[in-house]
């Protein structure tokens, strides 16, 4: 019997066209040299052209005052704020529409996707029609239409629609917002503690289930814990309940919180468009679980709800989640179309910068860097999820 | 079969039609199965034999007649169906193991969630079943990491974890490569020797001869002939049975 | 009950299902009113549909103005649609700024292009004349559109617009992107680390950023990349941008097909003595590409919709031509919504037809695979 021994060290490489290794090396060297050569050529041309046209370069413009009014800001902004601040505002606005958009699109998309399996024929057909319509019209066109709806079809300020303290008009949507004091911050802290408590409770009841076979209602108790601890925090902060109520002023709504019609148009347009794609993803995820799985679960005596929770959903989610995150990224990238309807998110700000300072490369590079970072983080999370959740095969 | 004991399964003038096209798939089925009896059901494809055994654990509904399993009438009553499903185990042609759970997790799923057995107790019982089908060393593997024969044995163990009174087998070896058929049939023979009531839809005639108390031949939704294996295989009475046997015994 | 022998056996003929309810009442009961919740849903949906359809009908048909009568349209504002805007501005929207008298040229050119593309989708035309047909079609297309020879007046590229531009951008960039994407996909699966890295960087970079930034980059930076004195047409810049963008996405689709192909195929080809490129051309790519045709169709449909973005870089395809037509004309500007609905219909018809076709192709190939 021959015993196992370690692999011998590699022989000297041969750089010859005939050897497999040699050819691979030659190809790669050629490829790298061509790419470097092409980049060098482009850079040389660019510098020459920029010199000739008097275009300056450099990122120093970021410290100069922006000089333009920005219509919607989460960060305090004055006319003398720098380009840095303007870009930061752009990023915040992108996130503002992306986060809310992703949540709403997921809810709507899941409902429509599940609705395709409804027992009701009308609901099934309507969901199908929704998906086919919104997927086959360009998002840019949809945004333009929603923009017109929110800036021209809605009533003007003088004839605004009012339900209680909610106002909707061409000027935007205003709603009551609590005056943010210590109490609210403590409530949020309490809520976070509640999440931790709910997680601990879930772990404990799982252990109990393993030991004795008794089931406890985890979801309801967890929810109660989160809400309860949030209330405790709020009470600890003196139970502030002052709401800033929007009031009808002469020219515009005062107090309260509001969002512009541009934001509304962008949000509704993105949500309805992306939800159509999410509905398709959810539907194909549900369809991917074969009938045999349902039957096996039924023949083992599992109820419909148990079968859904333990057998169908885990498998369906594995199929759903990768393309779902891809759609989330698409929604974020599509928010860049706001440049056409005047919502000041990142690409809009960059566009203004570009037109003002002529620093196309710098402005665009900032934008691309931000989006690339978001994409790479999401890709990394997705790969981690896939590796962990992948169904193990031979 | 003793005449005093009530049959554990009784089909009484059962008729079934497919809802999609109205096809009359089960025609006037009158059959009794005794406790501990091992029955092989065979017939050409489309004869309704799979549909017949799938009625026993209510995977298929019937429109006429009455089917009684262990004293419970199988019908619209959901509680009744639940009760029946706890007494009847089923093994599918496509195994239908849950690919996202390990072998052990596949087995303890139903005992912990339906029978409310504590987890450790369920694990012990599951390991015992895995030993019974001689696959205990793969308990922590995932189904797709096993061969077809191994997966089917796991599927049998999973059904046995419910401690069923009746086991249904729907062409358990038809999806297997030839060299793996024997290992699954050996497990089924072992089960038979231990006194389980078994209804098997299968083409494996060797298994039928070794184990079956009765062979039922079905064609076009009807029971054409039923007899002991020796009688059926050697002296088929009906020309349809003769025709069928000549086709499958020929090769 | 032990044995049944042939003297007792009586074959039973099939009977119809008892109580089987066919016809519309049974269908309604099963699909719309099968339970209390279901019935409630049906009633709520019907009420909602009735309300919205009656309002939509009122606006779009009952009180609408159908001719190009500006005064009647202004009177009907807010109450009825003004479809006259389409009669008045329709040609401008669909054709862009192409000179009125020469409209026959884009019509013929685009029809020819669509014919050749349609023929390429049907397997019975896949022979060696097809590439030749493409070359001829492209030559004829650009000659017709640009003019400046054969007695045709010259029409500069920044005046091309409307639907012909949308079609042309989609077709040209997909045609150019397709071979590029194959090379990039093969490169990503290469065993040579340098090539693999370059291709991966390209794909991840492009897929991580919005199309609009790619278009901006192409629009603002390509002129800077050119050697001194060379100018580059805005159309070419846009085509380069869209091509690079779609090639990255198509490369991922092709890569999926390559991954799905069993390894045994390349191994068998190697034992037969085929080189790498022969293997790819004759064995791997035909199978891999056939597998991903539906996804490729989806990318095509996506590109068709994404051409609407080139408006932002001043090339006025269908969506842009509308803005151009209506923004400058204060009389008809209030009726933008009607015009938008018009081009929504155009886009929907094109895209829906393409997606139906892709489903048909998918079903056909699936049938051939069923044993």
């Amino acid at each position: 019997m021959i015993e196992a021994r370690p692999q011998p060290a590699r022989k000297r490489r041969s750089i010859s066209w005939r050897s497999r290794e040699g050819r691979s090396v030659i190809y790669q060297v050629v490829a790298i040299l061509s790419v470097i050569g092409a980049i060098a050529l482009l850079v040389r041309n660019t510098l020459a052209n920029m010199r000739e046209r008097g275009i300056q370069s450099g990122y120093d413009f970021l410290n100069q005052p922006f000089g333009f009014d920005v219509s919607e800001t989460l960060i305090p902004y004055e006319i003398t704020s720098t380009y840095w601040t303007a870009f930061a505002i752009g990023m915040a606005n992108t996130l503002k529409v992306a986060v809310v958009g992703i949540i709403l699109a997921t809810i709507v998309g899941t409902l429509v996707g599940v609705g395709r399996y409804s027992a009701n024929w009308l609901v099934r057909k309507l969901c199908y029609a929704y998906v086919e319509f919104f997927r086959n019209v360009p998002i840019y066109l949809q945004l333009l239409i929603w923009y017109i709806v929110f800036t021209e079809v809605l009533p003007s300020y003088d004839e605004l629609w009012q339900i209680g303290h909610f106002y909707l008009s061409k000027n935007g949507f205003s709603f009551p917002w609590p005056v943010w004091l210590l109490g609210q911050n403590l409530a949020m802290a309490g809520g976070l503690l509640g999440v931790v408590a709910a997680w601990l409770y879930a772990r404990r009841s799982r252990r109990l289930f393993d030991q004795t076979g008794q089931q406890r209602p985890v979801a309801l108790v967890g929810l109660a814990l989160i809400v309860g601890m949030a209330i405790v925090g709020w009470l600890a902060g003196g139970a502030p309940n002052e709401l800033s109520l929007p009031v009808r002023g002469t020219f515009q709504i005062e107090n309260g919180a509001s969002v512009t019609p541009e934001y509304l148009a962008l949000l509704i347009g993105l949500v309805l468009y992306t939800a159509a794609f999410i509905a398709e993803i959810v539907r194909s995820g549900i369809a991917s679980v074969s009938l045999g799985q349902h039957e096996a679960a039924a023949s083992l005596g599992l109820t419909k709800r148990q079968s859904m929770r333990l057998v169908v959903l885990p498998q369906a989610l594995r199929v759903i989640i990768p393309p779902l995150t891809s759609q989330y990224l698409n929604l974020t990238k599509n928010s860049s179309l706001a440049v056409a309807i005047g919502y000041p998110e990142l690409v809009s700000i960059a566009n203004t910068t570009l037109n003002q300072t002529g620093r196309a490369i710098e402005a665009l590079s900032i934008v691309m860097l931000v989006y690339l970072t978001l994409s790479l983080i999401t890709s990394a999370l997705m790969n981690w999820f896939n590796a962990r959740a992948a169904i193990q095969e031979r | 079969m003793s005449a005093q004991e009530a049959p554990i399964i009784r089909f009484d003038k059962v008729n079934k039609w497919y809802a999609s096209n109205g096809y009359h798939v089960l025609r006037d089925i009158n059959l009794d199965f005794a406790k501990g009896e091992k029955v092989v059901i065979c017939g050409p494809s489309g004869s309704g034999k799979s549909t017949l055994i799938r009625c026993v654990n209510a995977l298929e509904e019937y429109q006429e007649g009455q089917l009684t399993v262990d004293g419970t009438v199988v019908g619209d009553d959901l509680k009744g169906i639940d009760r029946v499903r706890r007494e009847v185990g089923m093994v599918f042609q496509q195994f239908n193991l849950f690919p996202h759970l390990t072998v052990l997790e596949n087995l303890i799923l139903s005992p912990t969630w339906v029978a409310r057995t504590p987890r450790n107790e369920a694990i012990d019982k599951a390991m015992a079943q895995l030993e019974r089908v001689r696959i205990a060393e793969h308990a922590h593997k995932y189904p797709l990491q096993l061969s077809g024969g191994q997966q089917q044995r796991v599927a049998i163990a999973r059904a046995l974890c419910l401690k069923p009174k009746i086991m249904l087998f729907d062409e358990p070896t038809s999806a297997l490569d030839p060299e793996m058929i024997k290992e699954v049939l050996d497990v089924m023979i072992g089960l038979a020797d231990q006194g389980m009531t078994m209804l098997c839809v299968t083409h494996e005639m060797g298994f039928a001869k070794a184990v079956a108390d009765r062979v039922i031949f079905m064609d076009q939704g009807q029971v054409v002939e039923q007899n002991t294996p020796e009688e059926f295989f050697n002296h088929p009475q009906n020309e349809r049975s003769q025709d069928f046997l000549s086709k499958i015994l020929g090769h | 009950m032990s044995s049944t022998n042939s003297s007792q056996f009586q074959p039973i003929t099939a009977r119809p299902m008892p109580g089987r309810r066919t016809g519309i009442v049974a269908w309604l009961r099963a699909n719309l009113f099968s339970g209390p919740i279901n019935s409630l849903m049906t009633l709520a949906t019907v009420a909602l549909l009735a309300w919205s359809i009656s309002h939509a009908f009122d606006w779009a048909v009952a009180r609408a103005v159908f001719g190009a009568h500006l005064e009647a349209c202004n009177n009907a504002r807010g109450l009825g649609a003004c479809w006259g805007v389409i009669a008045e501005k329709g040609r401008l929207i669909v054709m862009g700024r192409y000179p009125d008298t020469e409209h026959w040229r884009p019509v013929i050119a685009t029809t020819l292009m669509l014919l050749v593309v349609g023929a390429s989708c049907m397997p019975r035309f896949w022979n060696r004349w097809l590439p030749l047909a493409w070359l001829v079609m492209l030559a004829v297309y650009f000659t017709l559109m640009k003019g400046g020879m054969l007695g045709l007046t010259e029409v500069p590229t920044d005046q091309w617009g409307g639907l012909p531009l949308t079609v042309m951008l989609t077709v040209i960039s997909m045609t150019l992107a397709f071979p590029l994407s194959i090379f990039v996909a093969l490169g990503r699966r290469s065993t040579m680390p340098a090539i693999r890295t370059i291709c991966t960087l390209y794909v991840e970079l492009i897929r991580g950023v919005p199309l609009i930034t790619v278009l901006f980059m192409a629009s603002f930076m390509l002129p800077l990349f050119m050697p001194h004195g060379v100018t580059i047409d805005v159309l070419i810049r846009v085509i380069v941008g869209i091509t690079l963008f779609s090639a990255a996405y198509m490369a991922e689709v092709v890569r999926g097909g390559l991954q799905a192909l069993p390894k045994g195929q390349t191994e068998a080809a190697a034992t037969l003595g085929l080189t790498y490129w022969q293997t790819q051309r004759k064995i791997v790519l035909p199978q891999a590409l056939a597998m991903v045709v539906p996804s490729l169709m989806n990318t095509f449909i996506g590109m068709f919709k994404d051409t609407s973005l080139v408006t932002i870089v001043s090339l006025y395809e269908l969506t842009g031509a509308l803005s151009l037509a209506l923004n400058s004309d204060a009389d008809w500007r209030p009726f933008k919504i009607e015009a938008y609905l018009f081009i929504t219909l155009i886009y929907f018809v094109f895209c829906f037809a393409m997606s139906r076709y892709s489903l048909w192709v998918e079903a056909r190939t699936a049938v051939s695979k069923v044993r």
Side-chain angles (χ1 to χ4, degrees):
Chain A
M1 239 204 71
I2 303 177
E3 296 233 340
R5 56 187 165 85
Q7 185 180 4
R10 296 264 296 264
K11 319 190 290 283
R12 222 195 60 131
R13 295 181 192 209
S14 63
I15 315 286
S16 107
W17 184 246
R18 287 184 53 179
S19 91
R20 197 187 292 183
E21 227 187 306
R23 191 175 293 204
S24 148
V25 169
I26 293 176
Y27 275 146
Q28 291 184 74
V29 165
V30 165
I32 296 179
L33 283 179
S34 343
V35 170
I36 295 183
I39 293 182
L41 186 67
L42 292 179
V43 168
R44 207 198 62 164
N45 281 343
T46 311
L47 289 176
N49 279 324
M50 282 169 68
R51 239 193 330 255
E52 196 185 297
R53 300 180 201 194
I55 303 176
Q56 295 156 311
S57 70
Y59 288 89
D60 50 319
F61 71 94
L62 287 170
N63 290 322
Q64 319 250 315
F66 189 56
F68 271 88
D69 196 17
V70 178
S71 60
E72 213 172 321
T73 75
L74 285 175
I75 310 171
Y77 175 81
E78 288 113 45
I79 205 90
T80 53
S81 296
T82 62
Y83 276 93
W84 259 126
T85 322
F87 271 103
I89 293 176
M91 260 216 66
N93 281 338
T94 301
L95 287 176
K96 196 165 114 175
V97 76
V99 169
V100 180
I102 285 176
I103 296 174
L104 289 177
T106 311
I107 296 175
V108 174
T110 311
L111 285 175
V112 175
V114 170
R116 300 269 316 250
Y117 288 100
S118 166
N120 188 312
W121 179 86
L122 261 181
V123 171
R124 279 205 305 269
K125 291 299 164 189
L126 278 177
C127 289
Y128 171 71
Y130 170 87
V131 170
E132 285 305 312
F133 180 71
F134 279 94
R135 281 200 321 168
N136 283 318
V137 179
I139 174 67
Y140 182 54
L141 183 57
Q142 292 187 37
L143 286 178
L144 290 175
I145 295 181
W146 285 111
Y147 181 63
I148 291 207
V149 167
F150 279 100
T151 54
E152 288 181 30
V153 171
L154 283 185
S156 67
Y157 181 68
D158 302 318
E159 299 158 18
L160 53 68
W161 289 340
Q162 176 183 358
I163 304 177
H165 286 287
F166 295 86
Y167 301 87
L168 182 61
S169 75
K170 266 193 239 200
N171 287 7
F173 178 59
S174 300
F175 46 95
W177 192 248
V179 175
W180 210 256
L181 296 171
L182 180 65
Q184 276 86 3
N185 286 331
L186 283 183
M188 292 186 63
L192 247 94
L193 278 177
V195 169
V196 174
W199 179 73
L200 286 172
Y201 174 78
R203 261 182 46 165
R204 195 177 147 268
S205 70
R206 173 97 202 177
R207 212 170 293 149
L208 204 68
F209 172 69
D210 288 347
Q211 280 167 355
T212 64
Q214 288 174 345
Q215 297 168 30
R216 290 282 159 80
V218 171
L220 283 171
V221 174
L223 202 63
L225 274 173
I226 296 175
V227 172
M229 310 238 349
I231 293 182
V232 165
W234 177 69
L235 286 172
N241 58 358
E242 195 185 330
L243 282 178
S244 168
L245 294 172
V247 197
R248 218 177 140 160
T250 355
F251 295 113
Q252 59 176 26
I253 306 280
E254 278 142 36
N255 302 331
S258 65
V259 284
T260 55
E262 286 84 7
Y263 177 81
L264 286 172
L266 189 63
L267 186 69
I268 302 287
L270 285 176
V271 165
L272 290 178
Y273 180 74
T274 316
F277 288 88
I278 292 182
E280 257 315 280
I281 293 172
V282 167
R283 186 197 65 83
S284 65
I286 296 179
S288 75
V289 182
S290 71
L291 186 62
Q293 295 287 306
H294 294 267
E295 288 187 342
S299 72
L300 286 173
L302 295 171
T303 65
K304 275 230 143 159
R305 195 183 291 170
Q306 287 170 332
S307 157
M308 196 40 79
R309 215 185 105 187
L310 298 169
V311 175
V312 177
L313 271 183
Q315 296 187 60
L317 280 175
R318 281 172 169 84
V319 173
I320 289 176
I321 291 194
L324 191 66
T325 45
S326 184
Q327 283 306 319
Y328 289 164
L329 267 179
N330 280 348
L331 191 147
T332 315
K333 286 190 281 180
N334 281 336
S335 71
S336 60
L337 294 175
V339 68
I341 62 172
Y343 176 72
E345 49 72 62
L346 190 61
V347 176
S348 284
I349 305 273
N351 191 30
T352 317
T353 310
L354 200 149
N355 286 326
Q356 282 304 105
T357 64
R359 314 260 174 120
I361 304 179
E362 289 82 351
L364 286 175
S365 63
I366 296 178
V367 171
M368 291 174 87
L369 196 67
V370 170
Y371 278 107
L372 267 177
T373 315
L374 282 173
S375 296
L376 289 175
I377 293 177
T378 315
S379 283
L381 278 173
M382 185 46 36
N383 285 335
W384 172 81
F385 171 82
N386 268 341
R388 253 197 67 173
I391 289 182
Q392 312 267 22
E393 295 193 27
R394 267 217 264 212
Chain B
M1 192 190 90
S2 77
Q4 299 104 315
E5 239 177 270
I8 198 170
I9 302 177
R10 160 161 281 175
F11 283 83
D12 191 6
K13 291 210 206 49
V14 169
N15 279 280
K16 178 181 164 67
W17 289 260
Y18 282 141
S20 55
N21 57 9
Y23 176 65
H24 192 177
V25 59
L26 290 178
R27 306 182 190 183
D28 283 356
I29 305 287
N30 291 299
L31 287 173
D32 282 348
F33 297 90
K35 186 163 161 165
E37 196 181 356
K38 300 155 220 331
V39 181
V40 163
I41 305 173
C42 62
S45 65
S47 54
K49 46 193 202 299
S50 285
T51 314
L52 182 79
I53 66 167
R54 285 158 65 98
C55 286
V56 174
N57 71 346
L59 283 180
E60 303 273 359
E61 288 175 0
Y62 57 91
Q63 282 84 23
E64 246 183 46
Q66 190 178 86
L67 167 60
T68 318
V69 175
D70 197 25
T72 313
V73 173
V74 176
D76 275 337
D77 175 29
L78 289 174
K79 281 252 180 321
I81 293 179
D82 279 343
R83 206 178 309 134
V84 164
R85 283 186 179 160
R86 271 178 256 138
E87 304 293 338
V88 176
M90 181 150 188
V91 176
F92 300 85
Q93 184 179 357
Q94 299 295 337
F95 332 139
N96 288 336
L97 293 178
F98 305 130
H100 59 297
L101 303 173
T102 61
V103 163
L104 189 61
E105 284 164 358
N106 262 279
L107 262 66
I108 65 171
L109 187 70
S110 181
T112 51
W113 286 93
V114 177
R116 312 259 176 117
T117 320
R119 187 182 158 97
N120 287 331
E121 201 184 313
I123 291 181
D124 290 337
K125 294 186 180 169
M127 291 302 293
Q129 295 298 347
L130 289 176
E131 302 271 355
R132 197 169 164 188
V133 300
R134 290 188 294 273
I135 205 161
E137 66 272 18
H138 297 297
H140 297 287
K141 293 230 181 102
Y142 284 90
L144 294 174
Q145 291 173 312
L146 303 177
S147 74
Q150 291 167 325
Q151 289 187 51
Q152 193 63 300
R153 286 189 276 148
V154 170
I156 296 176
R158 181 178 67 173
L160 289 174
C161 277
L162 300 171
K163 293 265 178 286
K165 292 189 183 158
I166 303 167
M167 282 287 277
L168 306 173
F169 292 86
D170 187 0
E171 305 215 35
T173 56
S174 298
L176 295 177
D177 295 331
E179 67 269 17
M180 296 192 240
I181 294 181
K182 179 178 183 307
E183 67 191 63
V184 173
L185 289 181
D186 284 344
V187 168
M188 289 166 68
I189 293 174
L191 218 55
D193 288 342
Q194 287 157 19
M196 174 71 74
T197 314
M198 293 164 63
L199 268 68
C200 310
V201 172
T202 181
H203 297 302
E204 294 293 328
M205 297 303 133
F207 172 76
K209 287 188 201 170
V211 149
D213 298 316
R214 187 171 27 141
V215 172
I216 296 178
F217 174 69
M218 280 183 75
D219 192 12
Q220 290 188 348
Q222 261 183 277
V223 173
V224 174
E225 190 173 332
Q226 32 177 339
N227 220 326
T228 61
E230 298 80 46
E231 282 302 310
F232 179 73
F233 289 121
N234 298 324
H235 307 293
Q237 310 266 333
N238 188 291
E239 67 173 275
R240 289 203 219 177
S241 333
Q242 293 160 359
D243 190 40
F244 175 72
L245 283 174
S246 71
K247 286 196 189 121
I248 56 163
L249 293 178
H251 82 99
Chain C
M1 191 191 321
S2 47
S3 61
T4 315
N5 51 36
S6 66
S7 63
Q8 294 174 349
F9 171 67
Q10 293 287 3
I12 304 175
T13 47
R15 294 188 267 133
M17 184 166 168
R20 183 180 184 211
R21 305 180 212 115
T22 49
I24 192 156
V25 176
W27 181 88
L28 277 177
R29 202 179 292 203
N31 283 300
L32 293 177
F33 297 103
S34 62
I37 307 177
N38 210 357
S39 310
L40 208 66
M41 261 203 285
T42 306
L43 290 172
T45 319
V46 168
L48 192 69
L49 278 178
W51 180 86
S52 33
I53 292 183
S54 70
H55 272 78
F57 185 79
D58 198 49
W59 180 81
V61 180
R63 299 203 229 192
V65 176
F66 280 96
H69 311 303
L70 189 55
E71 208 182 295
C73 274
N74 275 323
N75 291 338
R77 270 198 80 183
L79 297 167
C82 174
W83 299 117
V85 72
I86 299 173
E88 177 77 17
K89 298 279 181 183
R91 259 179 94 170
L92 196 56
I93 294 174
V94 173
M95 288 301 188
R97 290 186 296 176
Y98 211 85
D100 275 357
T101 49
E102 310 290 315
H103 273 185
W104 58 274
R105 285 158 61 182
V107 171
I108 295 185
T110 311
T111 317
L112 187 62
M113 177 175 267
L114 286 174
L115 277 174
V116 174
V117 169
S120 310
C121 295
M122 291 193 273
R124 57 198 208 109
F125 289 108
W126 289 352
N127 51 35
R128 71 180 115 97
W129 296 112
L130 197 58
L132 190 65
W134 270 86
L135 286 171
V136 168
M137 182 273 289
L138 286 171
V140 170
Y141 184 91
F142 282 106
T143 320
L144 262 183
M145 290 291 286
K146 189 84 199 282
M149 57 175 93
L150 301 178
L152 299 166
T153 52
E154 182 166 354
V155 180
T157 54
D158 56 345
Q159 281 190 9
W160 298 9
L163 190 55
L165 187 64
T166 305
V167 171
M168 189 269 274
L169 284 175
T170 318
V171 169
I172 301 280
S173 43
M174 290 298 280
T175 315
L176 292 174
F178 188 52
L180 178 61
S181 67
I182 294 180
F183 283 112
V184 172
L186 289 173
R188 270 197 87 163
R189 289 181 34 95
S190 165
T191 45
M192 297 184 262
I195 307 228
R196 203 171 53 232
T197 320
I198 294 174
C199 292
T200 310
L201 276 176
Y202 164 67
V203 171
E204 291 304 319
L205 206 89
I206 299 278
R207 274 164 44 104
V209 296
L211 174 58
I212 223 179
T213 50
V214 174
L215 285 176
F216 274 148
M217 291 278 288
S219 190
F220 289 108
M221 288 179 53
L222 274 182
L224 294 176
F225 288 161
M226 290 294 116
H228 180 79
V230 174
T231 52
I232 179 168
D233 203 284
V234 66
L235 190 65
I236 308 233
R237 277 183 255 162
V238 163
I239 290 182
V240 168
I242 301 186
T243 304
L244 286 177
F245 189 76
S246 20
Y249 283 83
M250 286 169 77
E252 281 301 281
V253 170
V254 173
R255 185 170 79 105
L258 292 172
Q259 268 178 308
L261 199 66
K263 224 174 95 166
Q265 297 286 306
T266 37
E267 290 175 347
T271 60
L272 292 171
L274 296 174
T275 67
Y276 175 79
W277 289 109
Q278 284 173 331
T279 317
Q280 300 305 320
R281 229 185 68 200
K282 294 196 186 304
I283 313 279
V284 173
L285 285 175
Q287 295 187 63
L289 291 177
M291 273 195 267
V292 296
V293 161
S295 303
L296 286 176
M297 281 293 308
N298 275 341
T299 322
F300 188 80
I301 298 174
M303 278 303 124
F304 186 79
K305 293 186 292 174
D306 284 343
T307 54
S308 53
L309 265 67
V310 306
T311 317
I312 300 186
V313 285
S314 308
L315 213 56
Y316 298 104
E317 49 66 68
L318 194 55
T319 318
L322 186 152
S323 310
L324 209 60
L326 289 182
N327 281 342
S328 52
D329 189 345
D331 286 336
W332 292 99
R333 200 189 315 151
F335 308 107
K336 254 189 175 174
I337 282 222
E338 289 86 340
Y340 275 138
L341 289 175
F342 172 57
I343 59 174
T344 305
L345 186 67
I346 298 180
Y347 275 114
F348 180 74
V349 164
F350 268 80
C351 294
F352 189 66
M354 287 193 278
S355 71
R356 286 284 112 185
Y357 172 76
S358 134
L359 283 175
W360 177 80
V361 166
E362 206 179 333
R364 243 186 54 151
T365 45
V367 163
S368 67
K369 289 209 191 96
V370 171
R371 277 199 265 159

